Amino acid sequence: KKKKKKKKAAATAAPEPTPEPVPEPASEPVKEEPAAAPVVTADEDEEDDDDDVARLLNSTQLSKAQKKKKKKKKKKAAAAEAEKNEQDEGSWVVVNKHHSNNSHNNNAAAAVTDADAKRTEIIQFDGNDKPILVGPKGATIQNITATSGARLDIDLPVLKITGTEAAIATAKEMIDKLLSAHKAKSAFSITLSGKDIKSSEGIKAIIGKGGSNIKQIQASTGCKLDANIDEGKVVITGASDEQIQQAATMCRHTVFGEYQAVMDLKNRGNVMVVLGQNYQKIRQFQDDSGGAKLDIAKNTTTLKISGPTAAVKKAQDMVTAWLNHCAGITLNIPQSAPGSFDKVGAIYGKGGTTIRAIQDKTGAFINVDDKEGKVQISGVPAAVQEALKMVQQAMEDGCLMEEGEVKDSIIIPKNAGPTVIGRGGSSIKQLEKDHSVKVRISDQNCIMIGKPPAVARCKTEVSEKIQPFIEEERIAQEAERLATEQEASAGGGPWSASLQDDAADGW
């Protein structure tokens, strides 16, 4: 358009050519006029340009429309051919594609049969096989593509392979070998979970820092390990039972050690002795054994020791010797008298405060067997003796005496018990609240423990409460005494003499 505009401008600006002078003949001078040059106007030129553009646009649109129609025809033909091949070949579907540079070439069927022509085969593909085909970071599928020259597209539930006949055949052969080899490797499997590997904590140990442990196990055994920390399990798959058993053994060794031993500690007292305060003793066993790991499952009395054989044996000997040293003593808990405090409850204390206080103060461990009515005190001998005194005090007084506290008691009449105790122990609770003391009823004794002034005030109040009952009891005793004397003196005469009299000797 720019060139034409320049030509238009040049044609408009160019002057008319001047004819050369012709000599006139002498007789008759004749003038010849030069031929006029054709003059093209700007409007005519623009109309020509518009016609050219229109013809060009129509030609382009017509060509595009023809190409679209041809593509639609090819797609319909390919779909029909694919449907036909699918019926003939089962799960294998062949879709033929022919790329021709000549848009007017109608010999498409002959081109497809050409060995160099590209086509796409679609096969059914299991989604579980996708990670195997893709490989780590896509390495496997890239290798197949580079080796075969075919392009692989995973569009579940199918796999599309595009390329020449030879490239597709090579790719299919490589895929079949890959999946067959994987199935052979996964012919056997075993699952480790729960106590076998300490659940999620064991799975973390199997994986190791940066996956170092699990990589080593897979490389050594040829098995595949699928570890799940949330579910607390690891699935081991391999080509043989021997391989997966070897991998399972390596997993257990990673969690527990090379060798395992089991000890029954029999009761909770021994469990606490082995654990020690704040788990210090069990850590000491692990450190001193030379590499053994000690573990007591929650709410059990089973001790598992794992690690190198020598370390496990040493840890066993250390635990046995410690248990013998801390055997302690066992006491029978006396039956509580009617109306008295519960002695088993006195050992525990409210919310377990008493038993915790004894253990914290002495370092001994106390295990109360409610059913058998026994209490076991375990620990080093000195701690056991100190704890024994405190346990006996708790069973005798119903509670422990703290530093600066004193104990006092008062005998209460039989009929005064309900008044002092109150309904559901309400009177005792009120006394404890008002005077900041601990009050316990044992047989006919009212025991009060606390600071001296508080104990004195509490004793005074209890005395006031039982005074009417004491007076009533005194009156009853006096009446009984008078009745006895009157009966003895009834009838008079020598026959009524007292047996204490000397004259009665011999009778």
Side-chain angles (χ1 to χ4, degrees):
K1 286 183 179 181
K2 290 181 180 179
K3 288 180 180 179
K4 287 180 179 181
K5 287 181 179 180
K6 288 180 180 180
K7 287 180 180 180
K8 290 177 187 178
T12 306
E16 295 184 3
T18 305
E20 296 180 358
V22 180
E24 296 180 1
S27 58
E28 253 179 45
V30 180
K31 294 183 180 177
E32 294 182 5
E33 295 182 359
V39 179
V40 181
T41 65
D43 295 337
E44 292 176 353
D45 198 5
E46 286 179 1
E47 290 178 1
D48 293 340
D49 290 342
D50 293 340
D51 293 341
D52 292 341
V53 171
R55 284 193 296 272
L56 181 62
L57 288 173
N58 290 334
S59 176
T60 303
Q61 290 176 352
L62 181 62
S63 177
K64 286 183 179 180
Q66 290 175 348
K67 286 181 180 179
K68 286 182 179 179
K69 287 182 180 179
K70 288 179 181 178
K71 284 183 180 180
K72 286 183 180 179
K73 287 182 180 179
K74 286 182 180 180
K75 285 183 179 180
K76 289 182 180 179
E81 186 69 21
E83 190 174 328
K84 181 180 178 182
N85 290 335
E86 186 175 13
Q87 294 175 354
D88 296 339
E89 300 180 14
S91 62
W92 293 88
V93 181
V94 182
V95 180
N96 295 324
K97 291 186 178 180
H98 174 61
H99 301 280
S100 176
N101 294 327
N102 186 0
S103 61
H104 299 286
N105 185 9
N106 296 323
N107 197 16
V112 171
T113 59
D114 189 355
D116 294 333
K118 289 186 177 181
R119 65 187 182 89
T120 298
E121 286 198 15
I122 303 175
I123 61 175
Q124 296 295 322
F125 190 71
D126 189 354
N128 295 327
D129 295 335
K130 181 177 178 180
I132 305 165
L133 179 59
V134 174
K137 297 183 179 180
T140 304
I141 195 170
Q142 290 174 6
N143 180 50
I144 294 174
T145 301
T147 304
S148 65
R151 190 185 73 197
L152 276 66
D153 296 320
I154 300 175
D155 187 12
L156 295 177
V158 297
L159 170 65
K160 299 178 182 178
I161 308 175
T162 304
T164 63
E165 190 74 28
I168 292 174
T170 303
K172 286 169 60 179
E173 183 179 359
M174 294 179 71
I175 293 170
D176 289 340
K177 286 183 178 180
L178 175 68
L179 298 180
S180 299
H182 176 74
K183 289 180 180 178
K185 289 182 180 179
S186 306
F188 295 85
S189 67
I190 187 174
T191 301
L192 301 179
S193 62
K195 295 181 180 179
D196 289 342
I197 49 173
K198 296 175 64 175
S199 299
S200 298
E201 293 300 321
I203 297 298
K204 293 178 183 178
I206 291 171
I207 295 174
K209 189 175 182 180
S212 58
N213 292 342
I214 197 170
K215 289 177 182 177
Q216 181 182 358
I217 295 172
Q218 291 182 140
S220 301
T221 62
C223 295
K224 180 185 176 183
L225 275 70
D226 184 11
N228 190 315
I229 296 176
D230 295 334
E231 297 180 6
K233 69 178 183 179
V234 57
V235 179
I236 306 172
T237 54
S240 67
D241 184 65
E242 182 181 356
Q243 286 180 318
I244 64 172
Q245 292 299 334
Q246 182 185 0
T249 301
M250 294 182 70
C251 288
R252 293 190 183 98
H253 287 176
T254 303
V255 177
F256 298 108
E258 299 174 7
Y259 178 78
Q260 296 185 46
V262 179
M263 295 180 66
D264 184 10
L265 302 180
K266 298 182 180 179
N267 56 62
R268 291 296 300 168
N270 289 339
V271 170
M272 292 185 287
V273 167
V274 173
L275 292 175
Q277 286 185 324
N278 299 323
Y279 304 98
Q280 291 179 353
K281 199 63 187 178
I282 196 170
R283 291 194 185 103
Q284 183 182 344
F285 289 141
Q286 293 182 150
D287 295 340
D288 296 345
S289 65
K293 294 181 181 179
L294 282 73
D295 180 66
I296 301 175
K298 190 177 181 180
N299 297 326
T300 69
T301 60
T302 302
L303 170 64
K304 291 183 179 180
I305 309 174
S306 58
T309 305
V312 171
K313 183 66 172 61
K314 186 176 180 181
Q316 279 183 294
D317 295 340
M318 292 169 64
V319 171
T320 303
W322 181 248
L323 288 174
N324 292 334
H325 180 67
C326 300
I329 58 175
T330 301
L331 294 176
N332 291 321
I333 303 174
Q335 291 291 331
S336 300
S340 300
F341 61 84
D342 181 23
K343 297 188 183 299
V344 174
I347 297 173
Y348 280 113
K350 189 176 181 179
T353 54
T354 302
I355 195 171
R356 282 199 299 269
I358 296 173
Q359 291 181 144
D360 293 343
K361 186 174 181 180
T362 64
F365 299 97
I366 301 172
N367 181 50
V368 180
D369 190 340
D370 300 352
K371 295 180 180 179
E372 296 293 331
K374 294 182 179 181
V375 56
Q376 181 189 11
I377 306 174
S378 307
V380 296
V384 169
Q385 291 302 318
E386 187 178 358
L388 174 61
K389 294 178 182 178
M390 298 180 72
V391 170
Q392 289 174 335
Q393 182 189 355
M395 289 191 296
E396 181 180 348
D397 300 335
C399 58
L400 297 177
M401 288 179 57
E402 299 178 3
E403 187 176 356
E405 291 183 337
V406 295
K407 181 179 75 171
D408 200 352
S409 63
I410 184 173
I411 298 175
I412 59 176
K414 292 181 180 179
N415 296 336
T419 301
V420 176
I421 296 172
R423 188 174 184 180
S426 58
S427 297
I428 290 180
K429 292 178 182 177
Q430 191 64 40
L431 288 171
E432 291 179 332
K433 182 179 179 181
D434 293 343
H435 304 289
S436 300
V437 295
K438 290 171 275 190
V439 180
R440 301 290 184 271
I441 304 297
S442 177
D443 294 333
Q444 285 186 261
N445 283 333
C446 178
I447 303 168
M448 296 157 284
I449 298 175
K451 300 295 182 182
V455 170
R457 290 194 302 270
C458 182
K459 185 175 182 180
T460 301
E461 183 174 344
V462 172
S463 299
E464 292 174 356
K465 284 186 176 184
I466 65 174
Q467 189 60 39
F469 297 95
I470 293 175
E471 185 63 23
E472 182 181 346
E473 193 174 68
R474 187 191 65 78
I475 294 172
Q477 290 175 354
E478 183 66 19
E480 185 178 355
R481 185 186 65 80
L482 293 174
T484 303
E485 290 180 356
Q486 185 177 3
E487 183 181 355
S489 61
W495 298 102
S496 63
S498 174
L499 292 178
Q500 302 294 332
D501 195 59
D502 292 341
D505 288 344
W507 287 95

